[in-house]
Amino acid sequence: MSIRARLYPTPAQAEAMVVHCGHARFVWNLAVEQSNMWRRDKGPTPNYVAQAAQLAQARREHAWLGAGSSVVQQAALRDFDRARQSWWKNPHHFSRPTWRKRGVHEGFVIRDLTVTKVNHRWATVHVPKVGAVKFRLTRPRAQVTAATSARVTFKAGRWHVSLVTPPPVFDRKPTGAVTGIDRGVANTIATSESVMGSIPGWTPGEQARYVALQQQLARQVKGSNRRAVTKGKIARLHQRLTDRRTDWIEQTTTTLVREHDLIGIEALNTRGMVRKPAPKPDPENTGVFLPNGAKAKAALNKTIHASCWGKFAKRLHDKAANTPAGAKTLVVEVPARYTSQRCHHCGHTAPENRKNQAEFRCVDCGHEANADTNAAENILSRAITLAAGQAVDPRPRRTVDGRNRGTTTTASTTRERKAV
Ligand SMILES: [Zn+2]
């Protein structure tokens, strides 16, 4: 959560803050350079602690750096460290931290923030070595003063502050309700109570517009102004879809967390699934590669990204973590293996149970259900087992009379993977 407000520094304050921006950028770019110098044979690059020590030394050696605010400079290092870690952990969502340019990336971070209310319209934020800088109060005072850190930016002659506030407590009462969620391609989500949800896509009109814009782009000269305009139009179309999907994820996860005390979801390795499969060398001809289904997987990858599963799970976890004590929602991730092949009624696990994408019919007991609902029920059972502190064994069971309840042959495992 962050609150953005326009800052109104006095000319003297603005001058001092420009110096902060320069120092923060200098420190950040040094950290980028150190991280870029990393080579496999030269051992690890200095981490935040080592860099902080180096900065302290540099401040003693260079008077101009030492004259600046150490709080601002250290915060720039930590800012870089956090950006690098986010990128390292989740390269799909975060880009690698790069150089900051003068006149483009003007700003700095303040940690251990002090925000003071002046009157009902104005408040101040304390900037190290600058003092209290005024900003317009646009949100309730309690929200603003709860801010823990801030980012000050300077662009097009204007100063802004982004106050980072802790997420609000998620308001809910215990309901006693539990649910399992199967995440899929045909239905983005299906719950164990047969509730289906689909993430919104483009309208037919938008789709036609997209195709038309793509054709227009192909005809235009590279680097031309007209081409840039078309690119902007395409970007806005994409943004509109992203916003719509974010709204859907926000609304759906809020409802789910509000209504359930326990939510079971699959522990899907979305990162593993979107990785391009390694080419298989042909053992008989060196240098020749066998087909590995990369094309089919690429098509599925698109849909996976489109369904935004990772984002969905993250928001579910975030919101559940902010539920009040005494009314906690528990989100349990369960092993996804065989949840789509296992009969929820009798436990028989076989790829033949899955008649097609939508229908499930157990070849052993004849139980019929929507395939996604059946999978969601299995996910819920596993979540309840895990929440009770017991282990879940996702492998198919064998019955006492020796009858095979589900097969563990290679054929069925491959098919399971495809079904997921
Ligand atoms: Zn059955």
Side-chain angles (χ1 to χ4, degrees), residues 342-349 353 360-368 405:
R342 187 179 186 275
C343 168
H344 182 68
H345 192 69
C346 74
H348 182 67
T349 306
N353 285 350
F360 186 95
R361 188 172 186 282
C362 180
V363 291
D364 194 11
C365 77
H367 172 64
E368 279 183 43
R405 289 213 173 261

Side-chain angles (χ1 to χ4, degrees), residues 135-211:
F135 68 93
R136 277 296 290 274
L137 206 54
T138 52
R139 299 282 187 89
R141 178 182 158 240
Q143 257 185 47
V144 172
T145 48
T148 49
S149 67
R151 185 182 293 274
V152 174
T153 51
F154 182 54
K155 205 171 191 180
R158 289 180 174 192
W159 291 93
H160 281 94
V161 62
S162 276
L163 300 159
V164 182
T165 59
V169 170
F170 197 98
D171 185 32
R172 75 179 292 272
K173 289 188 172 64
T175 56
V178 293
T179 191
I181 300 169
D182 180 46
R183 292 180 281 182
V185 173
N187 294 305
T188 314
I189 62 156
T191 75
S192 44
E193 292 72 51
S194 304
V195 178
M196 308 289 172
S198 278
I199 198 154
W202 270 338
T203 62
E206 284 168 341
Q207 226 155 15
R209 190 169 143 77
Y210 178 73
V211 172

Side-chain angles (χ1 to χ4, degrees), residues 216-350:
Q216 207 176 328
L217 194 72
R219 284 194 302 268
Q220 285 166 333
V221 184
K222 277 192 181 159
S224 67
N225 285 338
R226 282 166 183 272
R227 194 179 156 90
V229 170
T230 313
K231 272 188 172 174
K233 283 178 183 167
I234 292 174
R236 276 198 295 281
L237 211 53
H238 277 297
Q239 189 56 49
R240 204 190 297 171
L241 180 66
T242 308
D243 291 347
R244 198 178 297 157
R245 293 193 153 168
T246 306
D247 280 353
W248 182 84
I249 290 173
E250 288 303 318
Q251 283 168 18
T252 313
T253 50
T254 294
T255 312
L256 283 167
V257 171
R258 184 156 288 148
E259 289 177 0
H260 300 95
D261 292 352
L262 180 133
I263 302 169
I265 55 170
E266 296 162 88
L268 278 182
N269 178 9
T270 27
R271 251 186 93 179
M273 288 173 78
V274 296
R275 202 170 295 145
K276 208 171 156 194
K280 255 189 261 167
D282 188 338
E284 285 170 14
N285 298 306
T286 32
V288 176
F289 290 87
L290 296 168
N292 60 6
K295 226 177 190 178
K297 204 157 184 176
L300 183 64
N301 289 347
K302 272 191 180 169
T303 327
I304 289 169
H305 275 303
S307 297
C308 312
W309 284 332
K311 218 171 169 186
F312 186 89
K314 189 185 174 296
R315 292 306 289 145
L316 218 49
H317 281 295
D318 288 349
K319 287 175 185 175
N322 284 319
T323 46
K328 277 273 170 217
T329 294
L330 198 60
V331 175
V332 184
E333 289 201 11
V334 307
R337 282 194 89 186
Y338 299 116
T339 45
S340 57
Q341 291 179 11
R342 187 179 186 275
C343 168
H344 182 68
H345 192 69
C346 74
H348 182 67
T349 306

Side-chain angles (χ1 to χ4, degrees), residues 2-5 7 28 75-76 79-80 82-83 100 106-111 113 125 149-154 159-164:
S2 74
I3 299 166
R4 201 172 125 92
L7 271 180
W28 171 282
D79 191 25
F80 172 80
R82 271 181 61 173
R100 289 195 169 161
E106 297 286 0
F108 57 91
V109 174
I110 312 168
R111 296 166 55 82
L113 197 70
V125 53
S149 67
R151 185 182 293 274
V152 174
T153 51
F154 182 54
W159 291 93
H160 281 94
V161 62
S162 276
L163 300 159
V164 182

